[in-house]
Amino acid sequence: RNCLISIIIILRKEENNMNEVNHPFWVIVNKEISDHVKSWRFIILIGIIALTCMGSLYTALTNIGAAIKPNDPDGSFLTASDGTLPSFTLFINFLGPLLGIALGFDAVNSEQNKGTLSRMLSQPIHRDCIINAKFMAALIVIGVMLFVLGFLVMGFGLIAIGIPPTAEEFWRIVFFIITSIFYVAFWLNLAILFSLRFRQAATSALASVAVWLFFSVFYTMIVNLVAKGLSPSQMASP
């Protein structure tokens, strides 16, 4: 009798598992991740970032003795460079926003232009669920890519140097990668916002790039000019 009751319980659990339906949020996330990974846009972007990271790593490793000094808390093969190419951190600082913008500028308006957004909204799915799922899918792709590139750079540096990093250095690298993910996530979120505000994908892409160029190039110029204008003159009396 006890054996029969156990079999009935197991059969009911299997039936519940078969009848269980995945949450729409994760269904959209899985679909968006598949679309990102299979798209030529993502392949080209990850190829450019990987080549630039390997180039900066090569220039650093060829002069690793001069770039990294012993007992230097700021020394790391993530930031070491001989000046030929920028370091890994500078490449992430420059190409990270472009990666976030490229994955988010047409997240919503492309669905609207193709006519698939109305079909998705006709299902019992909340609007914020669609937006959050698209953001989460792109963020997962970006996070995996940055972690893979970061650990590849660390692994090549370990092979070239022959000295394993300490626990503090390892967690510094992990913290840098996590900070980079948050940095790229900001530009991804901004690009998705513009894809909601503008119907055309080209307009949202231009708006995102314009904001990125302003803060990357013109913002420092404006701040320097304002600081120079507000600073007291050197000819003024004490």
Side-chain angles (χ1 to χ4, degrees):
R1 182 179 179 182
N2 293 332
C3 182
L4 181 60
I5 293 174
S6 300
I7 293 174
I8 292 174
I9 292 174
I10 293 172
L11 291 176
R12 287 182 177 178
K13 288 182 178 180
E14 291 182 353
E15 183 179 358
N16 292 331
N17 292 333
M18 292 177 62
N19 294 330
E20 184 179 357
V21 180
N22 292 329
H23 195 275
F25 177 84
W26 295 110
V27 173
I28 300 174
V29 168
N30 293 330
K31 181 256 182 188
E32 291 294 324
I33 291 176
S34 178
D35 291 343
H36 284 314
V37 173
K38 294 178 182 178
S39 64
W40 280 104
R41 175 174 53 189
F42 175 76
I43 295 174
I44 292 172
L45 285 172
I46 194 174
I48 292 173
I49 294 177
L51 287 176
T52 52
C53 291
M54 292 302 107
S56 62
L57 178 64
Y58 174 77
T59 57
L61 293 180
T62 52
N63 299 274
I64 196 68
I68 297 181
K69 300 179 178 59
N71 300 324
D72 183 9
D74 296 328
S76 172
F77 43 77
L78 286 182
T79 57
S81 177
D82 63 345
T84 306
L85 287 175
S87 62
F88 178 78
T89 56
L90 291 179
F91 273 124
I92 295 298
N93 184 30
F94 181 77
L95 296 177
L98 293 181
L99 176 63
I101 291 172
L103 295 182
F105 75 93
D106 61 344
V108 179
N109 49 23
S110 63
E111 299 280 356
Q112 186 177 4
N113 294 330
K114 290 186 294 186
T116 56
L117 184 61
S118 58
R119 297 180 183 178
M120 294 175 62
L121 293 176
S122 64
Q123 304 297 323
I125 304 175
H126 297 286
R127 296 182 180 182
D128 57 347
C129 180
I130 297 175
I131 299 172
N132 294 332
K134 287 180 175 292
F135 174 78
M136 179 61 67
L139 188 62
I140 290 174
V141 173
I142 291 170
V144 172
M145 188 193 68
L146 290 181
F147 266 103
V148 169
L149 289 177
F151 282 108
L152 279 177
V153 172
M154 185 171 61
F156 280 118
L158 176 61
I159 294 173
I161 300 173
I163 302 175
T166 62
E168 180 183 358
E169 293 172 344
F170 175 79
W171 288 114
R172 282 171 58 191
I173 295 173
V174 172
F175 181 74
F176 166 75
I177 296 174
I178 294 174
T179 306
S180 301
I181 293 174
F182 279 101
Y183 174 64
V184 178
F186 167 78
W187 295 101
L188 171 65
N189 199 8
L190 182 66
I192 294 177
L193 174 63
F194 285 135
S195 72
L196 287 169
R197 299 296 300 174
F198 302 107
R199 185 180 181 87
Q200 299 297 326
T203 306
S204 60
L206 288 175
S208 303
V209 172
V211 175
W212 170 67
L213 286 176
F214 173 77
F215 284 103
S216 299
V217 179
F218 300 105
Y219 179 75
T220 55
M221 296 181 182
I222 296 173
V223 170
N224 291 332
L225 289 175
V226 173
K228 186 176 180 180
L230 295 177
S231 61
S233 175
Q234 297 180 357
M235 301 300 294
S237 58

